[in-house]
Amino acid sequence: MPTPKTIDTAGLRLEFTRHGEQALATALKTLAALPNKAQDLVSKTVLNGSENRPAWHVLSRLGAKGLDAPSQAAADFLQAEFTRMADWVDQRVEEAGAEGLDIIHLGAGGSETPMLALHTALSVLQTPRCRVHWVANLDGATIDAALAAAKPERSWIIINSKSFRTQEVMRNADIALRWLGDGIGTDKARQRLVALTANAELALQRFGLPANQIFRSLPEIGGRFSLWSAHGMVLLLAFGRETVTQLHAGAHDMDQHFLSTPLESSAPGLMAGLSHAYRVRFGLPLLSIGLYGDAFSRMPLYLQQLLMESLGKSTSADGMQPVHVSGPAVISGVGTPVQHTYFQLLHQAAVPVFHEIVAVAHPWHRHLREHMALLANALGQADALWNGKDASSWQTELMAQGMSPEAAARAAHHRACPGGRPSTFIWMERLSAYHLGALLALYEHRTVVEGWLYGINPFDQWGVELGKTLATKIENALLSQNAQGLSPETAASLDYLRTHSN
């Protein structure tokens, strides 16, 4: 089967024209041999082996259907919960009237980064109908600033945590609840808490929340894939049911493409296959993702989390074998400013980097000439990366400008760009909720397939969990001033803190 050079689906066009034939052939061969199937994502098949669970994030899209009774039951539950949540949101917004709502959104990782990325992008198109104050960090200044910008009498606190054990979220929830209680009274403050979680029992235990203040996801949906479930409530609050339904529609259409197309011919499959080829066959360690337009300003952190938390593994999916090559390190930024940060590395570093570029064909503002210039920059970078400009061409050009042959030869080597840096160009027809939904689903599917190609589990993150466990132990040592049981390196750091932290 010939490798497609362009793929059009769900309002996106992917151009694979800036890849070499060897890379494309390698991608095609590995994808054709992959035993995993896209349909596994909408069935009871256990895909997250380390936690013995299916992976059901696709079933949280509106209109999704399962292939068997357990997966269909999950789809029914998730979509019913979405309707309940949307009805609840509509009622709260109506009650708030012209003054609107202050939403204190407490999340971390996958309970914050994709929602913030989409909130930023959609805010370019539609004025949010409530004020969202984002808090993810344990830095106390962050929550102080969020609470200072909100008014207690019109505030709701959203506790967004799949496990309801995330340290940052629970600590910030305690601070926010005290603040709200000081402003409107303790009993009323507890009526202004909402939990978004797969652990309703713990939400009830910790805060005494009744069922109508808890909106549930499922343990089978990983945090970084969870924005389509109850965890995405903040988007309903900010933009309403119609916009979020369009977001789901774009993702659902990308799902249908993915589920109905052979992996070697699908957009997510080919992206994954190429990334895998560059890592395994060509040994390239770094992927760059450039997104053109400030609407994407919060997207890089989300894409970095999605890809590196999913693909940063060194053990096979069954836990039995070491894996010597897995996903790339990911750098990402927004064009054109990102061109002035790390793009020098892309063009002239000794080790090549592979690249993905996202751009929007139709402007979302009235400045057509500037939009054309933005797109020209995106295309210019892609062409420069792929075609380059050798020293001989530079020397001829510099001599034509009057430089001596010796000086031109020296200068030419500094200016030479070798080219051969591959890139996939991803066009969105326009900036809209629908196209954003399709883009995020594209990256979700691409990430999953790439994990399958490496033979790893893209749905767990045990490295992150270890760091959290050690942080709790170290905090206890800090408070007790007893470093017993800590590593020598950390004990030495605590000695420093004892004399400098007050």
Side-chain angles (χ1 to χ4, degrees):
M1 179 184 296
T3 307
K5 291 300 183 75
T6 63
I7 297 176
D8 293 277
T9 181
L12 308 183
R13 162 165 281 215
L14 284 80
E15 296 177 350
F16 299 100
T17 52
R18 298 177 182 88
H19 295 279
E21 292 302 324
Q22 277 191 329
L24 289 165
T26 301
L28 188 69
K29 182 178 179 180
T30 54
L31 288 166
L34 188 66
N36 304 84
K37 305 298 181 187
Q39 292 77 12
D40 293 342
L41 290 166
V42 289
S43 78
K44 64 182 180 181
T45 302
V46 172
L47 295 177
N48 180 354
S50 70
E51 297 175 285
N52 196 32
R53 295 169 178 166
W56 277 343
H57 54 280
V58 172
L59 296 176
S60 61
R61 314 265 219 235
L62 296 178
K65 296 185 183 301
L67 291 181
D68 46 45
S71 58
Q72 185 57 49
D76 292 341
F77 169 80
L78 291 163
Q79 293 175 51
E81 196 71 350
F82 177 90
T83 300
R84 184 173 79 89
M85 180 172 65
D87 291 342
W88 184 91
V89 164
D90 288 344
Q91 187 176 353
R92 299 290 82 75
V93 171
E94 184 178 353
E95 289 171 354
E99 284 195 356
L101 297 169
D102 280 309
I103 304 299
I104 313 300
H105 186 275
L106 311 176
S111 295
E112 194 246 9
T113 57
M115 298 79 176
L116 180 54
L118 283 171
H119 184 275
T120 302
L122 291 169
S123 294
V124 171
L125 306 170
Q126 179 182 346
T127 301
R129 57 184 187 173
C130 61
R131 295 162 294 279
V132 181
H133 310 280
W134 302 87
V135 182
N137 207 335
L138 280 172
D139 180 352
T142 304
I143 193 161
D144 281 350
L147 299 179
K151 293 186 177 180
E153 62 272 14
R154 65 189 188 197
S155 292
W156 284 81
I157 299 171
I158 295 181
I159 307 172
N160 197 344
S161 173
K162 175 186 170 181
S163 67
F164 227 70
R165 292 188 175 93
T166 309
Q167 183 189 55
E168 303 98 303
V169 178
M170 294 303 112
R171 285 175 175 261
N172 285 324
D174 290 337
I175 294 170
L177 182 58
R178 287 196 298 271
W179 166 82
L180 192 56
D182 290 343
I184 63 175
T186 301
D187 290 342
K188 192 173 181 181
R190 288 194 176 276
Q191 296 170 14
R192 295 284 191 89
L193 289 179
V194 175
L196 314 178
T197 185
N199 194 343
E201 295 78 10
L202 194 53
L204 173 63
Q205 176 185 328
R206 184 174 179 115
F207 291 105
L209 294 181
N212 65 344
Q213 288 173 238
I214 301 173
F215 295 91
R216 295 173 56 195
S217 62
L218 292 174
E220 293 83 2
I221 299 174
R224 55 191 174 274
F225 300 94
S226 68
L227 75 94
W228 317 96
S229 68
H231 294 288
M233 173 189 272
V234 68
L235 300 176
L236 277 168
L237 282 159
F239 303 109
R241 191 186 308 235
E242 182 178 349
T243 295
V244 175
T245 298
Q246 283 299 304
L247 188 73
H248 279 251
H252 181 64
D253 284 353
M254 182 59 71
D255 295 342
Q256 295 307 112
H257 163 73
F258 181 57
L259 293 168
S260 63
T261 308
L263 286 176
E264 58 268 32
S265 302
S266 76
L270 196 48
M271 286 180 72
L274 284 164
S275 184
H276 176 265
Y278 291 129
R279 289 291 294 120
V280 174
R281 178 168 182 179
F282 299 99
L284 306 188
L286 194 60
L287 164 65
S288 162
I289 304 175
L291 305 111
Y292 276 75
D294 280 350
F296 299 107
S297 62
R298 297 286 188 167
M299 201 69 75
L301 189 62
Y302 160 64
L303 293 176
Q304 287 175 310
Q305 181 195 1
L306 176 67
L307 285 157
M308 290 192 285
E309 195 169 73
S310 299
L311 304 179
K313 313 289 169 62
S314 57
T315 302
S316 61
D318 62 8
M320 301 304 292
Q321 301 291 332
V323 172
H324 299 293
V325 180
S326 58
V330 181
I331 51 176
S332 182
V334 172
T336 58
V338 72
Q339 296 174 184
H340 304 280
T341 58
Y342 68 74
F343 268 44
Q344 167 62 32
L345 177 145
L346 303 184
H347 289 287
Q348 289 187 312
V351 177
V353 177
F354 57 108
H355 193 50
E356 293 164 4
I357 299 175
V358 178
V360 183
H362 191 277
W364 55 93
H365 49 72
R366 59 188 176 86
H367 302 288
L368 179 60
R369 288 287 298 274
E370 284 67 30
H371 188 68
M372 294 297 103
L374 180 74
L375 299 184
N377 270 270
L379 289 165
Q381 293 296 324
D383 270 358
L385 286 165
W386 184 237
N387 294 312
K389 187 172 181 178
D390 62 20
S392 176
S393 299
W394 272 114
Q395 185 174 359
T396 300
E397 184 175 318
L398 292 170
M399 289 172 60
Q401 295 172 7
M403 194 176 286
S404 70
E406 296 78 9
R410 288 192 298 271
H413 286 290
H414 288 292
R415 288 166 169 77
C417 294
R421 269 68 168 161
S423 65
T424 299
F425 209 103
I426 303 170
W427 289 105
M428 299 168 63
E429 287 179 4
R430 58 184 62 245
L431 187 68
S432 73
Y434 175 88
H435 293 86
L436 287 164
L439 181 71
L440 266 62
L442 170 73
Y443 268 95
E444 285 183 354
H445 294 321
R446 162 266 172 81
T447 300
V448 170
V449 175
E450 191 168 350
W452 290 343
L453 288 168
Y454 296 120
I456 61 175
N457 178 0
F459 300 109
D460 61 9
Q461 60 279 335
W462 291 107
V464 177
E465 300 304 324
L466 174 60
K468 292 177 182 178
T469 302
L470 291 175
T472 300
K473 183 178 180 181
I474 293 167
E475 182 185 354
N476 291 334
L478 280 167
L479 294 173
S480 66
Q481 296 192 350
N482 181 356
Q484 185 175 358
L486 298 183
S487 69
E489 300 84 3
T490 301
S493 296
L494 263 61
D495 286 340
Y496 171 83
L497 284 172
R498 286 192 192 99
T499 58
H500 291 84
S501 61
N502 294 326

